[in-house]
Amino acid sequence: MNIQTINHRIQPQKEALLHHSLYKNVKTVSDLHHFLENHVYAVWDFMSLLKALQSKLTCTTTPWFATENAEIRYLINEIVLAEETDLTLDGKHQSHFEMYVEAMTSCGANTREINAFLEDVFDTQNIFVSIKKSDLHVNIKAFLDFTFRLIDEGKSHKIAAAFTFGREDLIPSMFTEILKGFQANFPETDLSKLIYYFERHIELDADEHGPMAMKMISELCGDSPQKWAEVEETSILALEKRIGLWNAIQEKITQTETELV
């Protein structure tokens, strides 16, 4: 098995995401706010997948010792550099999560709930407790729980699978087009930072992080049929959890529209 085989086998889930009806339902600034306020949890837990990989594939403790595979070390550190300290529209350095939250604020979306959730995670020091007692949609809870169960399990190739195949880079591209339409129709809403975030994400994924992550998976799996099989299984599950997240956001948008009628 190889990367090409995995891509072929996860195609049904990718197609379901690519053609999800959610995109057509994001019609107003209010719809956009609902999208951002729920999608932000995926932006945040992505950073945890990233740091879990860095922790497992490089030495982040002292005394320092060189890890076995220098190529993998290079790949993950290069990805971390951009994801955790990328250049913002204002010329500062921020993580992609911080950029996303700042973009939410700029366009008027509510950041209180994500901030309260993160405060609770910090206070409890137990992500599973925080997920369980939160008021998040059941699908968002399942999405987060899946991520942190993988991290807890500690298998690098499975974490890398969720990181690489579970985060669809075609979706931000589609969403950027929606945002550009919003910018034309709702000029009073500042979407500049949000558009920059998605465009930057697309640029990095296509040109750098995507190929790097694929190479990382190949290095991690090598000639192990079991590891490749686990990568396939994990990738499918990760995409199914993402579909569930999209369903939850669509449900929230539809529910709000019904209440307004």
Side-chain angles (χ1 to χ4, degrees):
M1 196 180 293
N2 55 29
I3 295 293
Q4 187 176 1
T5 305
I6 299 291
N7 271 320
H8 174 72
R9 291 184 177 174
I10 64 176
Q11 196 59 34
Q13 289 77 21
K14 290 174 72 174
E15 286 293 320
L17 278 169
L18 193 60
H19 301 292
H20 199 285
S21 54
L22 170 64
Y23 313 117
K24 295 179 181 178
N25 282 315
V26 183
K27 302 172 185 175
T28 67
V29 173
S30 176
D31 296 339
L32 174 63
H33 289 170
H34 285 312
F35 177 89
L36 300 175
E37 289 158 12
N38 291 279
H39 176 244
V40 68
Y41 295 92
V43 179
W44 173 71
D45 85 334
F46 173 84
M47 298 301 297
S48 292
L49 284 171
L50 174 69
K51 298 302 285 185
L53 283 172
Q54 186 184 36
S55 178
K56 293 193 71 64
L57 302 178
T58 72
C59 182
T60 58
T61 58
T62 57
W64 178 86
F65 294 95
T67 49
E68 181 179 351
N69 191 316
E71 184 64 23
I72 289 179
R73 208 187 307 153
Y74 163 75
L75 292 169
I76 190 61
N77 280 334
E78 278 292 303
I79 296 172
V80 168
L81 178 64
E83 294 287 350
E84 197 168 29
T85 55
D86 202 7
L87 192 65
T88 69
L89 188 61
D90 304 330
K92 301 180 294 184
H93 286 94
Q94 286 183 330
S95 68
H96 281 187
F97 171 72
E98 290 166 308
M99 288 168 62
Y100 194 91
V101 172
E102 197 169 276
M104 288 175 66
T105 301
S106 293
C107 75
N110 175 14
T111 60
R112 292 188 301 276
E113 290 182 10
I114 179 64
N115 288 333
F117 177 77
L118 295 185
E119 286 176 12
D120 190 75
V121 172
F122 184 83
D123 289 341
T124 64
Q125 292 295 301
N126 187 320
I127 182 63
F128 300 107
V129 170
S130 293
I131 292 170
K132 187 174 182 179
K133 74 178 191 177
S134 74
D135 293 327
L136 294 171
H137 189 287
V138 62
N139 289 9
I140 300 177
K141 288 186 177 186
F143 184 92
L144 292 170
D145 189 77
F146 173 76
T147 294
F148 288 97
R149 296 288 173 194
L150 270 184
I151 292 171
D152 249 19
E153 185 182 1
K155 292 186 176 181
S156 299
H157 60 287
K158 293 179 70 172
I159 299 171
F163 178 88
T164 303
F165 295 107
R167 308 291 168 147
E168 178 55 66
D169 59 350
L170 292 176
I171 292 166
S173 182
M174 293 179 64
F175 202 70
T176 300
E177 295 306 311
I178 296 173
L179 290 174
K180 287 178 178 176
F182 275 18
Q183 199 167 42
N185 296 323
F186 305 101
E188 69 281 1
T189 304
D190 182 7
L191 298 175
S192 56
K193 290 183 177 180
L194 199 56
I195 291 174
Y196 176 82
Y197 166 84
F198 278 112
E199 289 183 338
R200 182 69 179 141
H201 207 61
I202 294 161
E203 177 188 356
L204 284 172
D205 279 353
D207 299 338
E208 300 174 33
H209 293 181
M212 283 180 170
M214 296 293 182
K215 188 172 182 180
M216 182 167 61
I217 287 205
S218 294
E219 291 277 344
L220 288 169
C221 290
D223 297 324
S224 169
Q226 180 179 346
K227 286 184 178 179
W228 280 111
E230 289 178 345
V231 162
E232 178 187 343
E233 180 186 17
T234 301
S235 300
I236 290 171
L237 285 171
L239 289 168
E240 287 176 349
K241 296 300 179 185
R242 168 72 71 150
I243 293 169
L245 173 66
W246 262 209
N247 290 343
I249 298 173
Q250 178 167 276
E251 183 182 315
K252 178 66 175 176
I253 291 172
T254 305
Q255 178 185 350
T256 303
E257 288 174 350
T258 303
E259 289 171 354
L260 293 173
V261 173

